[in-house]
Amino acid sequence: MVLRRGLRWIYNKIVTNTQRCIISILTAGPVPRHVAFVMDGNRRYARIHGKEVQQGHMEGFVALRRVLDICLRMNVHCVSAYAFAIDNFNRPKEEVDALMNLAQSKLLELCNEGDLLDEYGVRLNIVGRIELFPKALQEAIRKAENMTRQNNKAILNLHMAYASTDEMTTAIEDCVKFGLTHNIDPDTYFTQEEIDKHLMTTAKGSPPLDVLIRTSGVKRLSNYLVWQCCQNTQIQFSSIYWPDFGFWDFIPIILDYQRKIWSRRISA
Ligand code: IPE
Ligand code: MG
């Protein structure tokens, strides 16, 4: 028992130091400023492991922490994650309720003093139609965002009750309203740049999206950051279910990003 514990300790030390070493080598090269994740595959993960759906989502949250930690250690400035699509409200009530409860408890935990966001100075943004959530979750969101308001080293966007089409429609509506109330000529005002500025994700300070990663082998955008993906974004698909996604799945994606940046620089 003692021997096994000792061996595990040595193994963990080797893994941690190897990871640290790889991160310091990689961060000597170009690192994406903004990485987004479509965290897909929680229920299939739960099914193949004979677990409850809720457990799959719970382990999905653990994976989010893990991946966020890796990104922050790599100096990625902004991390976005698709936590809840507007369409997800159509899932069975029991599952939606469990997701709401999970968000309510975990959001506050993430923002606690001494926890990940505090440690790295990360500002939390919840991006989406927050008003669609139950009052208690809305309250937790407000509280969690306020707890990290002063942080300015990095950004975590959790897209919740979000859909790209909704984000774009709202931005266009806002643009039109602004133009009308200020009596501005639409030809000069109604531009791609103006719409971009009015997008919820941009308005919360996110830089252009460099890399979008979707897990679980599904090759669709599913209404996530569709506008942003047109900004020279590298889209990557991983066959790993989200709760299993980790360091060794992320590194080849970063290497591929660096390879493309370097080849672009050489051919420029
Ligand atoms: C993603 O995994 C969960 C959310 C972000 C809500 P799913 O719940 O879509 O799991 P699969 O894709 O059905 O396995
Ligand atoms: Mg899915």
Side-chain angles (χ1 to χ4, degrees):
M1 186 69 177
V2 175
L3 179 67
R4 198 183 298 162
R5 218 179 286 157
L7 285 174
R8 178 138 290 277
W9 184 84
I10 293 170
Y11 172 79
N12 285 341
K13 267 267 171 273
I14 293 172
V15 170
T16 314
N17 286 332
T18 312
Q19 290 190 357
R20 201 172 290 155
C21 188
I22 291 173
I23 287 178
S24 52
I25 294 168
L26 282 181
T27 48
V31 172
R33 264 177 70 69
H34 185 177
V35 179
F37 296 91
V38 180
M39 311 183 285
D40 197 21
N42 291 357
R43 294 181 297 185
R44 278 167 286 163
Y45 167 90
R47 203 175 309 132
I48 62 163
H49 288 91
K51 296 177 177 180
E52 298 281 329
V53 168
Q54 282 87 327
Q55 187 60 29
H57 290 312
M58 186 82 89
E59 292 187 37
F61 176 77
V62 176
L64 174 64
R65 278 188 82 102
R66 179 170 65 235
V67 173
L68 180 62
D69 186 47
I70 300 166
C71 288
L72 295 169
R73 277 156 59 199
M74 281 192 161
N75 298 327
V76 173
H77 177 67
C78 178
V79 176
S80 293
Y82 203 5
F84 194 84
I86 292 181
D87 267 359
N88 290 153
F89 280 113
N90 297 323
R91 290 191 178 189
K93 187 180 176 317
E94 207 184 40
E95 187 185 345
V96 174
D97 288 349
L99 280 165
M100 300 295 109
N101 291 336
L102 185 69
Q104 206 175 312
S105 60
K106 297 296 175 187
L107 277 181
L108 290 169
E109 185 187 298
L110 208 55
C111 300
N112 269 342
E113 221 181 293
D115 210 310
L116 207 55
L117 302 194
D118 183 43
E119 185 190 340
Y120 288 94
V122 184
R123 192 176 75 227
L124 171 73
N125 295 324
I126 304 297
V127 187
R129 290 211 169 269
I130 292 158
E131 68 275 15
L132 299 178
F133 288 128
K135 285 277 175 292
L137 178 53
Q138 290 186 35
E139 190 49 39
I141 288 173
R142 259 189 295 276
K143 220 166 148 188
E145 283 189 325
N146 281 338
M147 283 162 89
T148 65
R149 252 320 129 245
Q150 305 307 322
N151 296 348
N152 57 11
K153 293 207 181 98
I155 296 170
L156 170 63
N157 293 321
L158 287 182
H159 289 84
M160 293 171 58
Y162 172 88
S164 236
T165 40
D166 176 64
E167 180 181 44
M168 291 189 267
T169 315
T170 312
I172 293 167
E173 273 171 13
D174 289 350
C175 256
V176 172
K177 273 185 212 152
F178 188 88
L180 287 175
T181 46
H182 292 81
N183 212 7
I184 305 172
D185 176 7
D187 286 343
T188 56
Y189 179 71
F190 203 50
T191 60
Q192 194 172 311
E193 289 71 29
E194 279 307 318
I195 297 172
D196 187 69
K197 264 192 235 161
H198 283 85
L199 293 171
M200 298 172 205
T201 309
T202 321
K204 299 213 169 184
S206 315
L209 181 59
D210 298 308
V211 181
L212 179 127
I213 302 165
R214 179 170 189 151
T215 56
S216 89
V218 176
K219 294 185 174 137
R220 281 185 284 120
L221 289 180
S222 298
N223 220 338
Y224 189 51
L225 300 181
V226 176
W227 175 288
Q228 290 80 354
C229 275
C230 304
Q231 302 166 332
N232 228 342
T233 306
Q234 295 181 17
I235 301 176
Q236 299 271 359
F237 297 103
S238 163
S239 57
I240 308 292
Y241 292 146
W242 175 251
D244 275 332
F245 191 85
F247 187 82
W248 302 108
D249 309 297
F250 189 52
I251 294 306
I253 294 176
I254 296 299
L255 281 171
D256 196 46
Y257 170 81
Q258 299 192 324
R259 191 179 55 76
K260 285 176 180 152
I261 294 290
W262 275 317
S263 62
R264 212 180 292 156
R265 280 182 195 169
I266 290 165
S267 59

